Amino acid sequence: MTADVVPAFPTLTVATPRVQVRPIEPGDADAVAEVFADRQTRRWLPTSAMPGEIDADAWCSDLAVRARADGDGDHYGVIRREDDRLVGCLWVQRTDWSTRSTEISYAIASSARGFGLAAEAVDALAIALLTEHGFQRIEMRVAPGNTASRRVAEKAGFTYEGLLRNAGNLRSGRVDLEVWSLVAADVT
């Protein structure tokens, strides 16, 4: 692979006993809008990645298609298998094909929090990227104070690496970001 050629992000669907993680679809827009409209979710969303209101229609179509085609990442729906309901979103971004690394972020509907679905979905997606698609490193970045996301990273098997000082921007202002990682050696 030359420096000029960036592969499209791999299309993938993964399933666990309780959730299915699949590429987002235009028909998911109403459920996605509900997930991103939640006050607690919006508190921790990076404003640099998603300024203003989330356009769920674009998130489920144009933005997802562009991310895949550009090789930057993808947008996924977390589907609860017991009722086939979209209860969360995962997105992969900042993919570096030369180092085979990428970053996973997530948001879970308030009605689905506290049941371990976020950690299960993040874990399944990260392991698929590492074992089936040749990635070497998956990162999660968590704002200090976001204890729920810290628990998700821990339960999904990620290792805390350190603090990126003044590296994030939330609605409340600039923040440090904790870096968590899962590498290929962790799952082999």
Side-chain angles (χ1 to χ4, degrees):
M1 174 170 45
T2 68
D4 298 327
V5 178
V6 175
F9 203 83
T11 301
L12 62 101
T13 298
V14 294
T16 71
R18 298 187 312 152
V19 298
Q20 178 186 42
V21 177
R22 61 152 172 80
I24 208 80
E25 301 168 352
D28 296 328
D30 288 344
V32 168
E34 184 179 323
V35 168
F36 285 128
D38 177 71
R39 184 172 170 256
Q40 185 67 16
T41 297
R42 295 186 63 73
R43 176 181 179 195
W44 298 111
L45 286 177
T47 57
S48 60
M50 295 175 236
E53 296 297 316
I54 303 296
D55 180 343
D57 290 320
W59 177 265
C60 295
S61 57
D62 300 341
L63 295 175
V65 169
R66 187 177 319 127
R68 274 192 299 275
D70 291 349
D72 186 52
D74 205 349
H75 297 173
Y76 302 93
V78 178
I79 311 302
R80 187 170 47 205
R81 293 176 68 150
E82 74 181 40
D83 58 6
D84 204 33
R85 182 172 174 237
L86 187 142
V87 296
C89 300
L90 296 174
W91 58 102
V92 178
Q93 61 191 352
R94 296 187 187 100
T95 300
D96 181 338
W97 289 100
S98 64
T99 61
R100 306 281 306 175
S101 64
T102 195
E103 179 184 336
I104 293 178
S105 299
Y106 76 94
I108 296 293
S110 60
S111 63
R113 288 190 198 126
F115 300 101
L117 298 178
E120 193 170 319
V122 167
D123 180 59
L125 181 59
I127 288 173
L129 289 170
L130 292 168
T131 62
E132 298 172 25
H133 297 285
F135 281 84
Q136 295 298 307
R137 176 183 175 81
I138 310 296
E139 285 186 4
M140 287 183 70
R141 295 182 181 195
V142 177
N146 189 345
T147 55
S149 284
R150 184 179 304 129
R151 284 193 303 269
V152 166
E154 290 169 339
K155 289 179 181 179
F158 284 65
T159 300
Y160 176 73
E161 291 186 339
L163 195 66
L164 296 172
R165 295 177 52 222
N166 201 32
N169 196 23
L170 302 179
R171 281 168 175 70
S172 60
R174 298 290 304 178
V175 295
D176 297 337
L177 292 175
E178 297 175 359
V179 177
W180 295 78
S181 72
L182 188 68
V183 299
D186 294 338
V187 297
T188 56

